[in-house]
Amino acid sequence: MKMNKDRLVVMSVQGSVDHPSMAGNAYRVGYDGFGRIPMATGGIVYNYKIKDSCMDIAGDHVEPGVSLKNPVERENNALQAFACIGNQARIISGDAKGRIGYVTGKHGGIDHVMVYFDEETLDLMTCDDKVHIKACGQGLKLLDHEEIHVMNIDPSLLEKLNIKEHEDSIEIGVTTIVPAHLMGSGLGSATTMLGDYDIMTQDKKANETYHINDLRFGDIVAVLDHDNHHGPHYLEGAITIGVVVHSDSFTSGHGPGLTVILSSKTKTIKPFIDKDANIANYLDIQ
């Protein structure tokens, strides 16, 4: 595919491991009416990583690997906007200084960027550590398919995805195809360059029908009839492609989050089922 990658800006952004936090009233009331105090967002998650199941976890909105935030709001906005899935991340402090990982997603609301590091590196890290990211990807275009809006993905990763190019369209491998009516939290956002939006999982039959129970962190997923050029909304015939970035949730209207990487107002993106469509298979992730 022809891209404008030679015109993209590569820029430094930086964040620190964001310690998990909890409101004074720690209970989260689920769609079932029960209050829970679940492990949730932030910190360093040791036992869930890219390619692990994001479903049936005893937690809520769990973010695999390392969750980053910049304590200065304006700088965190830039970290959120500019960091892209597949960007290289380097630890610049602490016992793990110099170790390399990859950006794996962005989570709106909590405003985190998630990064993969191997298990040995995670064991060396603390919540005081800082991570530097070579941000690149925003502004990326497919020169022969300019109606397809690209965002939140490093060009080197996009080139590795299971994509088949045709004169008037592209085909892309996805693990499942989700109907528009199952998308929930995040709808109404002005942009999905700053986070994600969720697949609702409160309907057990839908979870089985659309293979949502089989979703893993890092899976590439298609959403039918959704346009994400300027925030997520319903548009018949449109299609959006996203990456699963956080786990399921007990909260009404929530579920696994998708960070959007491609969107078209027309049927110029054609998804096909590929059970290996996970970013772990395209990055150096074990």
Side-chain angles (χ1 to χ4, degrees), residues 28 31 38-41 48 52-64 107 182 196 198-204 207 212-217 244-258:
R28 297 188 182 198
Y31 72 94
M39 288 190 172
T41 54
Y48 285 101
D52 288 341
S53 174
C54 67
M55 303 295 290
D56 196 26
I57 295 174
D60 195 290
H61 286 85
V62 173
E63 300 164 340
H107 189 180
L182 288 184
D196 68 309
D198 289 7
I199 304 170
M200 294 186 288
T201 54
Q202 287 76 59
D203 187 307
K204 293 182 179 180
N207 293 346
I212 294 167
N213 289 329
D214 299 324
L215 284 179
R216 304 163 298 175
F217 297 113
V244 176
V245 297
H246 67 67
S247 79
D248 194 14
S249 171
F250 300 108
T251 308
S252 182
H254 290 253
L258 297 182

Side-chain angles (χ1 to χ4, degrees), residues 30-273:
Y31 72 94
D32 52 8
F34 286 97
R36 299 173 177 85
I37 304 179
M39 288 190 172
T41 54
I44 301 167
V45 174
Y46 299 99
N47 60 332
Y48 285 101
K49 58 182 182 296
I50 299 301
K51 216 173 179 182
D52 288 341
S53 174
C54 67
M55 303 295 290
D56 196 26
I57 295 174
D60 195 290
H61 286 85
V62 173
E63 300 164 340
V66 177
S67 300
L68 300 181
K69 199 167 194 174
N70 191 302
V72 179
E73 183 178 5
R74 293 182 306 168
E75 294 176 10
N76 194 60
N77 289 341
L79 171 63
Q80 276 264 291
F82 299 160
C84 290
I85 295 172
N87 287 166
Q88 185 185 95
R90 178 170 54 89
I91 301 169
I92 58 173
S93 66
D95 291 342
K97 184 176 180 179
R99 300 290 186 102
I100 301 296
Y102 299 97
V103 174
T104 60
K106 305 194 277 192
H107 189 180
I110 193 66
D111 300 330
H112 283 162
V113 170
M114 286 84 81
V115 179
Y116 163 85
F117 293 104
D118 63 35
E119 291 182 12
E120 181 180 305
T121 300
L122 294 181
D123 284 338
L124 293 172
M125 296 184 72
T126 74
C127 289
D128 294 321
D129 286 339
K130 296 180 180 180
V131 177
H132 173 274
I133 294 169
K134 284 188 174 180
C136 180
Q138 303 298 31
L140 185 61
K141 296 181 184 298
L142 303 180
L143 298 180
D144 292 330
H145 308 279
E146 291 196 6
E147 70 282 5
I148 297 175
H149 190 35
V150 185
M151 65 181 94
N152 301 323
I153 186 166
D154 190 292
S156 63
L157 176 56
L158 183 60
E159 289 177 317
K160 295 176 182 176
L161 301 187
N162 188 2
I163 294 177
K164 304 172 184 178
E165 186 180 18
H166 303 284
E167 185 176 349
D168 59 352
S169 64
I170 65 170
E171 296 181 71
I172 182 169
V174 299
T175 60
T176 194
I177 301 172
V178 177
H181 64 266
L182 288 184
M183 299 309 295
S185 177
L187 290 174
S189 301
T191 178
T192 39
M193 288 173 63
L194 289 166
D196 68 309
Y197 72 134
D198 289 7
I199 304 170
M200 294 186 288
T201 54
Q202 287 76 59
D203 187 307
K204 293 182 179 180
K205 183 177 179 181
N207 293 346
E208 293 178 3
T209 300
Y210 300 106
H211 307 288
I212 294 167
N213 289 329
D214 299 324
L215 284 179
R216 304 163 298 175
F217 297 113
D219 273 357
I220 299 168
V221 172
V223 181
L224 299 178
D225 300 315
H226 266 221
D227 172 41
N228 267 273
H229 276 68
H230 305 292
H233 56 271
Y234 178 84
L235 179 65
E236 186 175 1
I239 190 150
T240 283
I241 306 295
V243 175
V244 176
V245 297
H246 67 67
S247 79
D248 194 14
S249 171
F250 300 108
T251 308
S252 182
H254 290 253
L258 297 182
T259 291
V260 174
I261 58 171
L262 300 171
S263 189
S264 175
K265 297 176 185 292
T266 61
K267 295 180 179 179
T268 50
I269 301 174
K270 303 180 187 298
F272 64 90
I273 298 300

